[in-house]
Amino acid sequence: MTDRTREDQPAAVLRETKQAGEIRARWAWVEPSVWTERMLTALEAGVKGGKWFSLMDKVYALANLRAAFAEVRANAGAAGVDHQTVEMFERHLEENLGKLSQSLEDGSYRPQAVRRVWIPKPGSVEKRPLGIPTVRDRVVQAALRHVLEPIFERDFAEQSYGFRPNRGCKDALGRVDQLLKGGYTWVVDADLKSYFDTIPHDQLLERVREKVSDGRVLELLRAYLTQKVLETTKSWTPEGGTPQGAVMTP
């Protein structure tokens, strides 16, 4: 092919760039250090077999851990069982993130116990348990969420609003308004008592395995599900449920 022939052909690269830009715009909320253009294209097209492999290296990448700490810092929150505050962690940020990255890479990382406190339940005299992980564990969970959330978000129901990126109560109310104007008049209100406290671990992880085949990521998830819970002078290991208050729980 001559140089002239190549010059006369359409600029395919420009079209690909436009498509990549459109995909990035649709997934503007994802962590860019994790979800590259290539990964986003695979996310939209669907990966072979519907399962994702080799995700752990994206969890422990320093750029992802830095972005995760920025979220943890923005959310503030109390110290965990190690009494280390967000400010204390930040004083030696690069050193702490480097150690976290290394321990995740070599498999030596282990979550610390979750400190449990009880907070008032809105509209009730009851209280609900809240688990407070350590700052380091919150950073890792945020990094893990950066990797996993888009994989599952892709297939979530359109009319679902709880704990979804760029969605909230106002969006749900807007949908209700649409339905009312469309002539719908019935509302079904259902609640599962202590649902988050009773989710079976094996069944939950089995659902995750339908999309994630990285064994190290699955082991990390199980480690968070079975983190020891510390409340005043007693501690125990949960056999079911998810730790309310943790970054990964929703």
Side-chain angles (χ1 to χ4, degrees):
M1 182 183 293
T2 66
D3 290 341
R4 174 60 61 186
T5 304
R6 281 196 292 266
E7 289 172 0
D8 290 341
Q9 289 184 336
V13 175
L14 293 178
R15 176 173 174 79
E16 292 173 2
T17 302
K18 180 180 178 182
Q19 290 175 340
E22 291 171 350
I23 293 174
R24 174 62 68 183
R26 283 193 291 273
W27 295 91
W29 55 271
V30 303
E31 172 50 43
S33 68
V34 174
W35 289 92
T36 61
E37 305 295 350
R38 181 181 62 82
M39 285 189 64
L40 285 177
T41 300
L43 180 65
E44 288 224 335
V47 293
K48 186 177 180 180
K51 293 187 177 183
W52 290 80
F53 297 84
S54 302
L55 294 173
M56 192 61 183
D57 62 314
K58 298 165 181 60
V59 176
Y60 63 68
L62 279 172
N64 185 23
L65 291 174
R66 288 191 191 98
F69 174 76
E71 292 184 5
V72 171
R73 179 176 55 192
N75 291 330
V81 295
D82 61 355
H83 306 293
Q84 185 179 48
T85 64
V86 174
E87 292 76 15
M88 292 166 64
F89 189 93
E90 189 174 17
R91 285 175 199 156
H92 306 283
L93 181 60
E94 289 304 314
E95 179 183 352
N96 288 330
L97 294 182
K99 288 180 180 178
L100 266 184
S101 177
Q102 183 61 45
S103 63
L104 287 164
E105 183 177 5
D106 63 27
S108 62
Y109 170 82
R110 296 292 184 276
Q112 295 173 278
V114 173
R115 181 166 69 89
R116 170 168 284 190
V117 297
W118 292 83
I119 62 175
K121 196 172 183 179
S124 172
V125 295
E126 299 180 4
K127 292 186 176 182
R128 68 180 182 91
L130 181 68
I132 304 176
T134 61
V135 175
R136 67 188 284 272
D137 289 341
R138 299 206 294 268
V139 170
V140 177
Q141 287 193 31
L144 182 58
R145 191 190 69 206
H146 287 166
V147 174
L148 294 181
E149 189 170 39
I151 294 173
F152 292 91
E153 178 66 25
R154 177 181 183 272
D155 297 321
F156 281 162
E158 177 61 30
Q159 307 302 343
S160 170
Y161 301 97
F163 301 104
R164 300 276 300 278
N166 296 330
R167 290 166 177 254
C169 294
K170 290 184 178 179
D171 300 298
L173 290 172
R175 177 59 178 163
V176 170
D177 184 58
Q178 286 180 335
L179 293 171
L180 288 172
K181 291 175 180 176
Y184 291 89
T185 57
W186 287 88
V187 174
V188 177
D189 183 14
D191 185 24
L192 300 178
K193 184 175 177 60
S194 300
Y195 174 69
F196 283 105
D197 295 330
T198 57
I199 295 175
H201 291 169
D202 288 340
Q203 293 181 42
L204 174 60
L205 288 171
E206 193 58 39
R207 296 302 302 273
V208 176
R209 285 191 190 95
E210 293 175 4
K211 296 182 182 297
V212 175
S213 288
D214 189 318
R216 296 176 66 188
V217 168
L218 294 170
E219 289 174 9
L220 187 56
L221 284 173
R222 182 177 288 278
Y224 284 129
L225 289 172
T226 56
Q227 274 180 281
K228 280 191 176 182
V229 178
L230 180 63
E231 182 178 358
T232 56
T233 58
K234 62 179 181 178
S235 66
W236 68 94
T237 301
E239 297 180 357
T242 59
Q244 295 186 55
V247 177
M248 278 297 297
T249 296

